[in-house]
Amino acid sequence: MPEHRLTALSPLGGDAPKVDSFEVFTICENPDLALASLASRVGKGAAFAKAAKKHFGFEMPEPGKTAQKSPYAAIWVGPEQWLIEAPFSDHEDIAVELKHAFDDSASVTEQTDGWARFDVEGPVTGAVFERLCALNVGGMASNSASRTAIEHLGCIVICREAGIRYSVLCPRSGAASLHHALITAAKSAV
Amino acid sequence: MSQINRIAGGQIDRAQSLKFSFDGKSFEGHPGDTLASALLANGVRLMGRGFKYHRPRGPLTAGSEEPNALVELRSGARQEPNTRATTTELFDGLDARSQNRWPSLAFDAMAVNDRLSRFLAAGFYYKTFMWPKAFWEKLYEPIIRRAAGLGSLTGQPDPDEYDKGFLHTDLLIIGAGPAGLAAALTAGRAGAQVILADEEFAFGGRLNSETYAVGDGSGSDWAAKAVAELADLPNVRLMIRTTVIGAFDHGIYGALERVSDHLATPKPGKPRQILWRIYSKRCLLCAGATERPIAFENNDRPGIMLAGALRSYANRWAALPGKTIAVFTNNDNGLRTATDLIAKGVNIAAVIDCRNETPDVSGTEVFRGAQVIDTAGRLGLASVTVQLSNGQQKTIACDALGVSGGWNPNVHLTCHQRGRPKWDEALAAFVPDGCPPGMSVAGAAMGRLSTAGALSSGATAAVTALADIGIPAQAVDLPPAEDAPINLKPFWHVQHGAGRAWLDQQNDVTVKDVKLSHQEGYRSVEHLKRYTTLGMATDQGKTSNLGGLAIMAELTGKSIPETGTTIYRPPYTPVPIAAFAGRSAGKHFRPTRLTPSHKWATEQGAVFVEVGMWLRAQWFPKPGETHWRQSVDREVLATRKSVGICDVTTLGKIDVQGTDAAEFLNRVYANAFGKLAVGKVRYGLMLREDGMVMDDGTTARLAEDHFITTTTTANAVGVYRHMEFCRQCLWPDLDVQIISTTEAWAQFSVAGPNARKLLQKIVDAEHDISNEAFPYMACGEITVCGGLRARLFRISFSGELAYEIAVPTRYGDGLIRALVEAGKEFDAVVYGTEALGVMRIEKGHAAGNELNGTTSALNLGMGAMVSKKKDSIGSTLSEREGMNQEDALMLVGFRPVDPSQSFAAGSHFINKNAVANAQNDQGYMTSVAYSPNLGHTIGLGLLKNGGARKGEILRAVNPLKNIEIDVEVVSAHFVDPEGERLRA
């Protein structure tokens, strides 16, 4: 990537991502992933699946699931639609890269800055999520994901490791509100 | 400070003393006490005054069904009215005050109402306060307001925090008495996910109040052992102090957990209460039963309470309401109050039993076939008058009376989805008749009133409920327990006497009121309720509903089941409004969305405005500016003179791709998009099905199969939702994929004669944005600031030479700083939404005020844009005759004839010599602004046949403020009407 002159801000408006630590729970703002929406086109199923296997090294996950093989992860977000994650440092041009790989078998849209991501970790994540959303987070298996609403924000909760590590994606403009909700729930439940 | 009515035993911790105050007086109690039990132990029976007649009252019960002992708990901002003393856990420093009395509980001047009771019977307000009419507003209403209501609010904001919570489980067990505990043990040992909730601060239900043996020990011992086992099971969640308030759809239950109400103050960061939404596959209602009284004359004196409550106070709380106690009962259960108290050495003056076959009770006299017909004792019971079976009357001195008319199963939650219970003749009570899906009932709540019955039905019901969801379970071994029938003889009210016999003590409804309601022609039980207000207080008539409808049944000659019950509704007990709000209070009522330039704008001291959930900069005051007009006028003039920058990220952006993307847009937009060239942008008009304008925006074609559609800020979500509906449901065969990119791209408008020059300092040199290479309505993917990917659109809202430039949002802050820096040489300004609005009005662009849901394309002067060469949503219905009349409203401009005058949006247009009324209405003003370019107020508005009336003088009438301004009809395009600046 060429070295342009503009500096980036994190979703919470800081030069560096915010980290909040409680005794048994941490919340980390994480802007270091590039995101793209990948939606298969009508009648191109076979070509799409082939390109996916080739480029990612895995099959696209079923509803409610994620799939990963470094450096990519795929999250099912709708019929024939996935959100693709890859490290920002090497994949800032993820949309261009994926369009090249999938060609006319898919519609690709950059979503990197459409979302703010908070990684939460600790053995009490279940108790914290109980104060946040109707999604049965405690019952999620590793490598699963689901949309849900947290304090009126449409979010995606990803279970990286059941009971321990999760990511919450929210619309970027609402990052401060979601962060406030996470902190408040942590203070309340932990 | 001695606890004169404290006896031995009980489940209180005498090693610790708790200080509390009631009506300014200090007392002592112990952990395990309620406020009511501690007051009784201290010899205080008088705890309140009746709502209407202000009669002295004491606790009728020992639970959440309490109608009388309502106090104001705490003071200052945390004060809460109508708190039941019977369920308030005592804590050190508790401070409570009685309600509804002035000047004091012992002497209440309002008790004069009791002498006026003839005039204050049920429904009196339907017959009074009507004459003279003029007295209503100034005299009657203020008086009624002062007299009405129970308890008071401080008016201070609630300082406590409340959480919402969400739980998922296999089996929710409501109530932790014998049935619930047996069920929880069964389900817990089977490995199911179980939630056991109880409204009380100790599990065990009636086991904590009765002296029956359960197995080898007491009921409360068995309960404690069960709870200890359950607490150790990882699959069981015990929720104490948690009332399940309602059974909602789809197996969802609401529950209010009182986390901190038993503490002096909540711990920092912790909520006072949590309102849980429990998603449960199955639910077992083990809510027990509530005792009901018998109505007789003056049955409401302090010291008169339910017989079971008396037992609770004596057995669980080691407190008595008096020293000489009598019992009035129609069943064997009531006799236990006498036997339990006698065993504790308490003086039982008499047992008055309306049945004839009552066995002897050793230690006291039993009067069979007898009734209590009256009582005496103004501030507390002093004696009862009994009518014996031989007709003679006898006065018995006593300072407490336990009354038992039987037990009502707590069926409420089984009826929360419009169910009704059924009558059980043997119990003379209503029992559940069907339940919401997934719910079953056990124990006293289903009419199994004995301990053994509750235990076994709880265990069995748990097995059945779990089998239903594929979890095998075995009923746990249960200890032996009493299984006696209660031998009840139905008896609702004593017929003797002309005085008042109380049914609903909280709303002061008597047997006479029920009779009056019947006399006035109210036959339905729902009318009885509302005419008399029986059952409408905060206790929901838990101790009075059945008594009322039994009397109504007698009067109408119908049976009780034929009379039926009123509808049961959540919440089961009162819930603070703050608990429903949870964290959505104050600033956090809803999320706030911040634009990419928010940080920069804050540094500039911008004034922000809420636009939906967004905060947008409204204007940027500079030092020395004291009025917003100064800032806004400056921003407008500077933009039109040189160049201005505005954050327009909030407008919706929808990425539309696919081989059928163009066809899709052709169908959702009224105008044509099929042939839009790659690299071009077009204004788009979107109609609703009914032909009215829904939204407008621009759509840019980046490639054959790739478009970016924009929407107004307000309609971003609505349009996206609409497009998804079209894609998924209307035309699922089209190959089109859409996703919102509103958030993903920071977007700024750069407008004014020097806009291009400014941008040429930002856009990388290899991208030619000269007028020839990048004409009006061009678009493209470019790079800026040394290689950052960006998008450029040459579109104008202001009418100036203008562009919108977009970069990924994380760089939005960097971009605006770069634009401001680069703009210094052009005296560039950053402008806010006010200046944005002024300029679009000057240009004559329709926006939200014009796209108000009642305007068509024709009204907006865009009738020709609805293409008839292809079908699109709204096209057909936009052709309706009524929408295409010759005098249809048309969007035109207005200026004041006298330029020093201004007018308001919303003014209606009336012809010069016509009367200002609805018949003569010519249309209305939609948008108004002061134009610094023209030096006077300008407006846009919808005028009948407006296009043909340019030059006409009308009146703009504002009837709300009685203002009329003469206005001239002009073109809506005040600035650059030929569009020369746009194409520069």
Side-chain angles (χ1 to χ4, degrees), chain A residues 1-9 13 31 33 37 39-42 81 88 92 99 107-114 130-136 151-153 171-174 176-177 180 184 187-190, chain B residues 163-168 237 269-271 274 276 279 583-584 588-589 591-594 599 614 655 657-659 705 734-735 737 739-741 743-745 761 785-789 808-811 813-815 818:
Chain A
M1 297 278 327
E3 285 297 315
H4 58 79
R5 299 193 296 278
L6 298 185
T7 50
L9 283 190
L33 279 114
S37 160
S40 149
R41 288 194 177 178
V42 172
Q81 189 178 11
F88 185 82
E92 186 172 349
K99 186 64 184 170
S107 294
V108 181
T109 316
E110 181 174 340
Q111 288 279 288
T112 301
D113 289 339
E130 273 174 8
R131 308 288 171 105
L132 290 172
C133 60
L135 181 63
N136 186 7
E151 293 298 337
H152 311 292
L153 286 163
R172 186 193 171 93
S173 66
S177 290
H180 177 264
T184 306
K187 281 194 192 144
S188 192
V190 174
Chain B
D163 269 339
K164 294 258 190 65
F166 308 84
L167 296 172
H168 300 259
R237 184 181 187 123
K270 301 299 178 196
I274 304 174
W276 294 99
Y279 296 78
R583 297 287 172 180
S584 302
H588 302 289
F589 174 66
T592 303
R593 297 173 77 178
L594 301 177
K599 186 174 180 182
W614 292 99
D655 194 270
Q657 296 189 37
T659 55
D705 59 352
L734 288 186
D735 177 34
Q737 297 78 39
I739 190 165
S740 166
T741 53
E743 299 275 339
W745 293 83
K761 293 171 74 173
C785 298
L788 175 65
R789 63 197 175 286
T809 312
R810 66 178 62 196
Y811 301 110
D813 176 88
L815 181 62

Side-chain angles (χ1 to χ4, degrees), chain A residues 87-117:
Chain A
F88 185 82
S89 48
D90 294 324
H91 297 269
E92 186 172 349
D93 62 346
I94 188 171
V96 171
E97 176 201 323
L98 291 181
K99 186 64 184 170
H100 189 76
F102 284 80
D103 197 25
D104 63 0
S105 74
S107 294
V108 181
T109 316
E110 181 174 340
Q111 288 279 288
T112 301
D113 289 339
W115 303 88
R117 173 175 155 160

Side-chain angles (χ1 to χ4, degrees), chain B residues 192-213:
Chain B
Q193 293 295 317
V194 178
I195 292 176
L196 176 64
D198 197 292
E199 63 177 355
E200 282 235 50
F201 58 88
F203 286 126
R206 284 308 293 176
L207 293 174
N208 291 329
S209 292
E210 303 289 7
T211 55
Y212 303 123

Side-chain angles (χ1 to χ4, degrees), chain B residues 20-27 35 39 44-48 57 69-72 85 94-99 101 105:
Chain B
F20 69 98
S21 86
F22 179 63
D23 279 349
K25 227 174 137 202
S26 293
F27 298 97
L35 175 58
L39 282 171
V44 176
R45 292 184 297 176
L46 176 60
M47 294 188 201
R57 293 279 169 76
L70 304 181
V71 303
E72 269 173 9
L94 183 152
D95 162 45
R97 294 157 304 286
S98 57
Q99 300 181 150
R101 79 296 183 270
L105 197 51

